Amino acid sequence: MKLLLSELDKRVDVTLDRSIKTDGVNGVMKFGDKNDYPQRIERIIMGSVTAKAAADIYAKFLAGSGFVNEEINNIVIGRDSRYKKITIRGLLIQAAMSMAYYNGCYIHTNLNLDRKVKNAQLLLFKNCRFSKLDERGYTSKIGYYSNWPKERGVKFKKEDIKWYDIFNLREKVFEKQVIGAGGIEDYKGQVYFHFLDNQYLYPLSPFDSAYMDADTENQLGYHKNNEVRNGFTKKHIFQVNEQLDSNLKGLLAKGIKTWMGSRSNPAMVIETATDENGNIAENKAIKVTTIDSNIDSKLYENWEKELSNKIRKAIKAIPAVLIDYDESKLGTTSGEGIIQATNFYNQMTKDDRNSISEMFKEVFSNSINEKLANNIDWTIKPISLYDTTNLQPATGN
């Protein structure tokens, strides 16, 4: 994906798309100039080894070791699209990953007539958009759709957008929503949204400040791949006698390619005249000339270190040791460094964990499950060193 300077200025624009009018909604608040900021951020993170690893580690620290009240962690609160059980702990992990990528999450809840949460599941952040803001700057609905950017080759169908009321358990508001839906059987439920960044209407990704750095790291990966495939290696020119039969030249060229042992073909086969001064003699078949590469293999080494450091700084200054640690050294003095790094990052992510705790408290204090409704401690237990030994850095999908 090619980035332009103008793209950086417009990537976080929030404007009203008046063309989308359906189900009583008179427009959608676009997220980015092309309504694709979350999709773009996801591609940037997935394409950067450091960003993907940092997001995974950050998410693990946000989810910690689950809630302090271990009794609630395994309570089932819904099922996903594959009809697999969703536990409180599982929803916490999903929400933490959404926070790590986008600084926010959306949770869909189904309610009964007593305004109690029957079940809940996480919605994909990138598929959620707010409806038009009113004169007070508020919005009442959230639209869920998989093609907000209107990608080429995929027909945009506004009738397929699913609209949900925003989480609001006030009796009069709830009654109006249910009546408007035609009864509780047809009521679609509400969506609770929670952002760690509230500077704008939509949250900016934790990686937003390192947007260009993560993309540059990605492009360096492409560059190295092209070096291997297409040849910033030694080049070979095979000069063959012009008197050779064309069929023999073809066979020779094919044979040379098989010698390369690579998908690329860093060889050139040409016809040449001959003489006695360094060229092919008249009765000879071939001469090989080697052209050395002038590419320094360490050209981008400092770039990679700098880029990785900048990306980690953007994610609450995640210590490098938590991403690049060597398991074989855990039993030596370096283990102390990991302990210190874990304690440091637990402190750096403490406020975010507390914010997520408040989110779960607000949603599930209204649960039909008595254990959840009566739970008074929604504190997330910080991750321990034992957990960090399983924090393998991810390299993307």
Side-chain angles (χ1 to χ4, degrees):
M1 179 177 58
K2 185 177 181 181
L3 297 178
L4 305 175
L5 291 178
S6 59
E7 184 177 329
L8 293 177
D9 297 330
K10 296 181 179 181
R11 72 178 189 270
V12 295
D13 281 357
V14 178
T15 56
L16 177 63
D17 183 349
R18 300 178 182 274
S19 68
I20 300 176
K21 296 183 179 182
T22 178
D23 291 348
V25 174
N26 294 312
V28 171
M29 303 307 298
K30 296 167 61 177
F31 194 178
D33 182 52
K34 297 181 180 179
N35 207 3
D36 67 344
Y37 177 81
Q39 285 81 359
R40 190 178 302 177
I41 280 292
E42 181 183 54
R43 290 194 296 267
I44 290 292
I45 294 173
M46 295 297 286
S48 165
V49 174
T50 302
K52 181 64 170 64
D56 288 349
I57 298 298
Y58 180 38
K60 289 181 184 296
F61 272 81
L62 290 180
S65 299
F67 293 101
V68 170
N69 182 0
E70 296 183 0
E71 187 180 15
I72 68 172
N73 283 315
N74 294 322
I75 293 178
V76 177
I77 43 85
R79 293 183 180 271
D80 61 20
S81 58
R82 297 169 296 177
Y83 208 65
K84 290 186 176 295
K85 295 178 181 179
I86 302 172
T87 64
I88 282 288
R89 167 71 168 152
L91 185 63
L92 172 60
I93 293 172
Q94 292 176 344
M97 184 60 74
S98 182
M99 295 289 186
Y101 272 65
Y102 310 107
N103 251 341
C105 71
Y106 297 87
I107 297 176
H108 175 258
T109 62
N110 280 315
L111 309 170
N112 63 16
L113 280 173
D114 294 324
R115 291 172 288 139
K116 299 294 184 181
V117 175
K118 296 190 299 181
N119 52 63
Q121 66 175 338
L122 192 81
L123 296 179
L124 291 178
F125 184 94
K126 64 182 179 181
N127 291 349
C128 296
R129 298 292 187 276
F130 290 124
S131 64
K132 179 183 177 181
L133 303 180
D134 62 20
E135 62 277 2
R136 300 170 298 169
Y138 291 99
T139 181
S140 61
K141 289 184 179 292
I142 289 176
Y144 189 80
Y145 187 55
S146 61
N147 189 29
W148 291 115
K150 300 180 181 179
E151 297 175 351
R152 293 181 180 178
V154 182
K155 186 176 181 181
F156 184 84
K157 298 180 180 180
K158 62 182 180 181
E159 62 273 17
D160 289 344
I161 300 173
K162 296 179 180 179
W163 292 102
Y164 299 102
D165 294 306
I166 286 179
F167 194 82
N168 189 332
L169 298 182
R170 286 185 294 175
E171 186 175 0
K172 290 184 178 180
V173 173
F174 179 71
E175 287 181 357
K176 183 178 179 181
Q177 292 174 354
V178 172
I179 293 172
I184 193 67
E185 294 81 9
D186 297 320
Y187 186 55
K188 297 178 181 178
Q190 298 179 346
V191 171
Y192 183 98
F193 68 91
H194 189 78
F195 301 155
L196 295 180
D197 168 37
N198 294 293
Q199 185 175 2
Y200 304 104
L201 177 63
Y202 294 108
L204 298 183
S205 167
F207 292 90
D208 189 77
S209 62
Y211 183 87
M212 289 294 291
D213 300 297
D215 182 68
T216 300
E217 186 178 72
N218 181 28
Q219 294 303 316
L220 283 178
Y222 279 115
H223 177 75
K224 287 184 175 181
N225 182 261
N226 284 331
E227 283 190 9
V228 174
R229 284 176 174 266
N230 302 320
F232 284 129
T233 55
K234 288 184 178 182
K235 299 286 188 179
H236 303 286
I237 297 178
F238 291 82
Q239 295 172 285
V240 298
N241 196 307
E242 62 183 356
Q243 298 177 3
L244 284 179
D245 179 86
S246 59
N247 291 331
L248 291 176
K249 291 177 195 173
L251 290 173
L252 178 61
K254 290 180 181 179
I256 291 172
K257 289 180 181 181
T258 62
W259 297 345
M260 296 298 119
S262 174
R263 297 182 187 180
S264 62
N265 178 27
M268 183 186 303
V269 180
I270 62 174
E271 295 182 2
T272 180
T274 60
D275 57 36
E276 297 178 354
N277 299 315
N279 290 322
I280 301 174
E282 184 174 345
N283 61 344
K284 300 294 183 182
I286 186 170
K287 178 182 177 180
V288 179
T289 302
T290 300
I291 302 176
D292 288 331
S293 169
N294 61 355
I295 301 298
D296 185 357
S297 62
K298 296 184 179 180
L299 180 62
Y300 298 114
E301 184 175 337
N302 291 332
W303 278 32
E304 292 175 343
K305 292 181 180 179
E306 180 182 354
L307 290 170
S308 180
N309 188 43
K310 284 175 135 182
I311 295 168
R312 288 187 294 98
K313 283 182 178 180
I315 312 303
K316 309 286 183 180
I318 182 172
V321 68
L322 295 181
I323 295 178
D324 302 325
Y325 72 84
D326 185 347
E327 285 188 59
S328 65
K329 296 180 181 179
L330 283 176
T332 64
T333 55
S334 67
E336 179 61 30
I338 295 179
I339 293 174
Q340 293 177 2
T342 300
N343 293 335
F344 167 80
Y345 205 55
N346 271 328
Q347 287 300 312
M348 293 297 291
T349 54
K350 180 180 179 180
D351 289 343
D352 292 344
R353 277 195 304 279
N354 289 340
S355 182
I356 295 173
S357 294
E358 288 300 315
M359 173 183 73
F360 273 79
K361 179 180 180 180
E362 186 171 355
V363 173
F364 293 104
S365 291
N366 300 286
S367 173
I368 61 173
N369 185 291
E370 292 186 2
K371 288 184 178 180
L372 295 178
N374 296 327
N375 183 48
I376 60 175
D377 189 357
W378 288 93
T379 303
I380 298 172
K381 183 180 179 181
I383 205 165
S384 65
L385 177 61
Y386 177 79
D387 295 309
T388 62
T389 60
N390 294 318
L391 297 183
Q392 297 289 351
T395 57
N397 293 340

